[in-house]
Structure formats: C-alpha cells, structure tokens
Amino acid sequence: MKVGIARECREGERRVAATPETVKQLAGLGLDVLVESGAGAPAGHGDDEYRAAGARIVPKLDLANLDVFAHVRPLDPATAAALHRGAVTVGLAAPSSELPTVSALAEAGVTSFALELVPRISRAQSMDALTSQALVAGYRCVLEAAIRLPRFFPLYMTAAGTIPPARVLVLGVGVAGLQAIGTAKRLGARVSANDIRPASAEEVASMGGTFIRLDLETAEASGGYARELTADRGALQRRLLAPHVAQADVLITTAAVPGRRAPLLVTRDMVQGMRPGSVVVDLAAESGGNVEGSVPGMDLHVPTADGQGSVTLVGLKDAASAMPADASRLYAKNVANLLALMTRKGVVAPDFDDEVVAETCLTHDGAVRHAATAEALAALRDRPGAPGAATPGPEAPITPESENEGVV
C-alpha cells in the first residue's frame, strides 16, 4: 500500500508527518512510502535521507492514488475530496473547528483518524500526539517569556548586590503546563501554578513548583482533562487568581478543554494589574485564548493600571512548529505507531474492535463515527447560514503597531 507524506502547506507549519527513522519503520511493515520533495527540509531532513531510509521521493503527491495519507495540520475540504474512497488519513484533524473538512471526508468515503481523539490509556501513549506536542509547546512558552522579560530568571548573588529570582505563575497544569514549570525551574525561577483538577497539586510539587490552592470546586472530566467551569465559578476563579497574577513577573497560561473554546482565566484588568515589564504568554491563543485580548502570533503591549509602563502579552501561534526537528521526531513516531497498530502483512486494515482504533476514528464508510462531531455537524445543518467552524476572535479591540506587535 502507498503511504504519502506531504509537504505541509499551511503558513507557519514546519513539522513533517514522517522522519527518516519512521520511514524505516513503515517500510519494515511492508508499506511503500512516498515523500513529497522538500517535505522534511524545515525539520532538518533532506530528500537524500528519506531515500536512504527506503522512501520514494516524488515532486508532488498524487492524492487519488494514495492508500494512506499522513499529515500534520488538518486537511482542507478540497484535499479530502481528492482522496479515493476507502483511503486512510492519519493526522491532527481539529474536528470541532474543521467541520467542513469532516463533512468532506465522510462524503468522500475516507477513513480518517484524528490524533486528538487517541484515548488516554497506557497502550495508546506512544500514539498520543496531543501529549507529545504539548511537551514541545510548554518548553517553548518559557523560552518566549525569558526572551522578553527585562530581567533574569535565576537568583544571582554578586559583589554588586543580590538579584532575586523571577516569579513565574503557570495556569493550567496539563503536559504543557508541567513542562513549563520544569523549564522555568531549570532556568532558576520561583514557580507557582494552579489548575482546577485535584491531582494537579502533586504533579506541580513533583516538578518543584508551589501549588496555589483556591477555594473553588474541582473540575475534572474523563481521561484526566479539565472540565469547563460554569460562568459563576469561572468569575470566582478569576477573582481568586487576581492577586497571584499581580505578583507574577511572568504568567504562562496553558488551559484547554478538548473540543471547546479555551477558558478565559485572565481578564484585561488582571493583566493591567501586573508590574511594568511583566510578560504574559498565552499558549491557548489559537483556540480563543486564556487571556482576554490575546491574538495568535502577535505581541501586544497592555498599559499597566498605574500608567508607568506596559505588560507584554504574547499570543503564541504554531508553538510546536517553532521547534520542528524534535516536534517532528515525536509526532512522526505517533503517526507511525498508530499505523503499525493497524497494519498486517503490508496492508493497513483498521480493526474497529480495537479500542484505540475505534476511538481515534473520525470518519469511515461515509459516516462520522465520532459522536460529538456528528452532533455538531447535524446542528450546523439545522442552522442554514450559521458560521459553524469559526473560532471566536479576541474580545478586545486591537490596534496593531506592526505585524508582530500592537497595543490593547
């Protein structure tokens, strides 16, 4: 069977769905791997490396002749429609926000697997792309903050005086948050964190951080994910967090609820209450933002309440793609391991009696198998002309100063 590896075409995407290492793995399964020329260049892999690993290099993939199509970013409807009936796709699909593509995949009779849907069980850990990419993103958050903060992270005791360590506050203690805590600690910062899940306190302590306990109900959904708070509880959470935000030199937000807009954790007033020169990094900017007014891919300068300076608000975009070599190394293994689970004697044949295969499958044989996505599509069809998949934008007006900077 022919497995196609595309050169990602979305702006800012530098990852690739297969590395020379995983090409060897796929070829060892009896699969014929076709790699689009230049696909691995942004991640540091040239065409010759892929050839040496057993891949065939092609100028452009013929989608209609592929049996399996591996990708990083969600496909567009035109690409989905170009695949032949019965073809298999593996990659990030963002089903909650890419409903037109999901519909196109179903109509084309494509069997698609969304890596966001991989169940969080021990057997599926090697296929969990959300976890592997969150690891990269959490690390990147701290680096972005450290670059912009006008002071050191670590404690320094010198003959000229003592420089205290920076105070870093992390909101949201999933994989990305824990990686941010660990990275900030390694840089010497004093780190505290908060999450609405009860198990987070021990996880924060294990990374060397201090857990902030709020007088707030816990909220944990299945699979270890956070559950969205009610409006009243969300407002109480922000009120309780405000003094901790005000004391931080760096605030990093990583909170997410799968399939929903990112929860609003920090208001504009809370940002304005921080000290001049402070830095806020919103990892959730692309999914609506944990911080009011954050814009993906932009640095914004929020005037402080005292009028003496501003706080830099960083809306991260393509966080994992900013480190394409290691992000691709991890992501490609996730893809290859899922394909290996479904391959027998050189044929990719999904066994829907397997829990991992069944739960990861988005569309198959003309139907949308993921219940929540099927319900969203049905609701969209019942509301003709509804915007549907659009991700809500920032709630505060932005006046950009340049492509990468602006004022809120």
Side-chain angles (χ1 to χ4, degrees):
M1 297 184 75
K2 294 179 180 178
V3 178
I5 308 298
R7 181 174 59 248
E8 296 292 320
C9 58
R10 290 206 183 188
E11 184 180 355
E13 184 52 70
R14 301 169 64 197
R15 292 170 293 180
V16 64
T19 62
E21 178 187 0
T22 63
V23 164
K24 290 180 181 178
Q25 181 180 351
L26 296 175
L29 296 171
L31 301 172
D32 182 16
V33 184
L34 284 68
V35 177
E36 196 168 64
S37 181
H45 301 298
D47 290 350
D48 289 343
E49 289 183 68
Y50 284 106
R51 285 194 188 93
R56 287 193 286 153
I57 304 299
V58 296
K60 187 173 180 60
L61 290 175
D62 182 358
L63 296 177
N65 288 323
L66 292 178
D67 300 298
V68 179
F69 184 43
H71 58 92
V72 180
R73 287 299 181 111
L75 305 179
D76 56 53
T79 300
L83 297 164
H84 72 74
R85 189 171 189 84
V88 172
T89 66
V90 177
L92 296 171
S96 65
S97 61
E98 299 288 343
L99 294 178
T101 295
V102 176
S103 182
L105 287 165
E107 290 174 8
V110 172
T111 299
S112 61
F113 291 91
L115 292 177
E116 296 95 333
L117 304 180
V118 170
R120 288 204 159 177
I121 59 176
S122 297
R123 190 165 63 87
Q125 286 181 349
S126 66
M127 310 163 208
D128 188 352
L130 288 185
T131 293
S132 73
Q133 301 308 289
L135 180 76
V136 181
Y139 174 79
R140 187 74 189 186
C141 282
V142 178
L143 299 187
E144 296 291 345
I147 289 169
R148 292 166 173 81
L149 187 68
R151 53 169 301 184
F152 293 126
F153 262 45
L155 165 72
Y156 281 113
M157 301 180 69
T158 75
T162 299
I163 298 175
R167 295 174 179 265
V168 175
L169 172 60
V170 178
L171 301 182
V173 188
V175 173
L178 289 172
Q179 177 67 359
I181 293 168
T183 303
K185 284 294 293 183
R186 286 190 291 272
L187 288 177
R190 184 180 299 169
V191 186
S192 58
N194 173 259
D195 195 287
I196 55 179
R197 295 168 302 157
S200 300
E202 292 183 7
E203 295 171 345
V204 170
S206 72
M207 300 300 293
T210 300
F211 188 75
I212 296 174
R213 298 186 182 277
L214 304 178
D215 184 15
L216 193 70
E217 67 173 343
T218 60
E220 184 168 1
S222 61
Y225 290 104
R227 172 170 53 83
E228 190 172 24
L229 295 177
T230 63
D232 288 344
R233 288 293 184 177
L236 176 59
Q237 180 189 34
R238 290 188 289 272
R239 192 158 60 249
L240 295 174
L241 283 173
H244 300 283
V245 170
Q247 294 171 10
D249 299 300
V250 170
L251 170 64
I252 294 172
T253 64
T254 70
V257 178
R260 304 290 296 273
R261 175 178 174 150
L264 179 65
L265 303 182
V266 180
T267 63
R268 174 191 173 108
D269 287 344
M270 292 166 71
V271 174
Q272 289 183 307
M274 299 177 75
R275 288 187 291 270
S278 299
V279 177
V280 178
V281 179
D282 187 356
L283 180 60
E286 289 186 281
S287 58
N290 293 147
V291 183
E292 183 179 16
S294 68
V295 179
M298 293 185 69
D299 282 17
L300 308 172
H301 300 298
V302 183
T304 55
D306 61 10
Q308 300 302 304
S310 64
V311 175
T312 301
L313 171 55
V314 184
L316 274 197
K317 182 181 180 182
D318 304 317
S321 296
M323 309 195 76
D326 286 334
S328 294
R329 182 197 300 270
L330 297 172
Y331 182 83
K333 285 296 291 183
N334 298 145
V335 171
N337 289 337
L338 180 57
L339 285 173
L341 178 66
M342 300 187 291
T343 303
R344 298 292 182 273
K345 297 181 180 180
V347 176
V348 177
D351 175 8
F352 292 106
D353 289 331
D354 184 295
E355 178 184 6
V356 176
V357 174
E359 292 192 25
T360 307
C361 186
L362 179 60
T363 63
H364 174 65
D365 197 24
V368 178
R369 288 179 56 99
H370 183 239
T373 304
E375 291 172 6
L377 273 171
L380 188 64
R381 295 190 187 102
D382 291 341
R383 295 185 291 113
T391 300
E395 298 176 7
I398 306 296
T399 306
E401 291 181 339
S402 67
E403 183 180 0
N404 293 315
E405 296 193 38
V407 175
V408 188

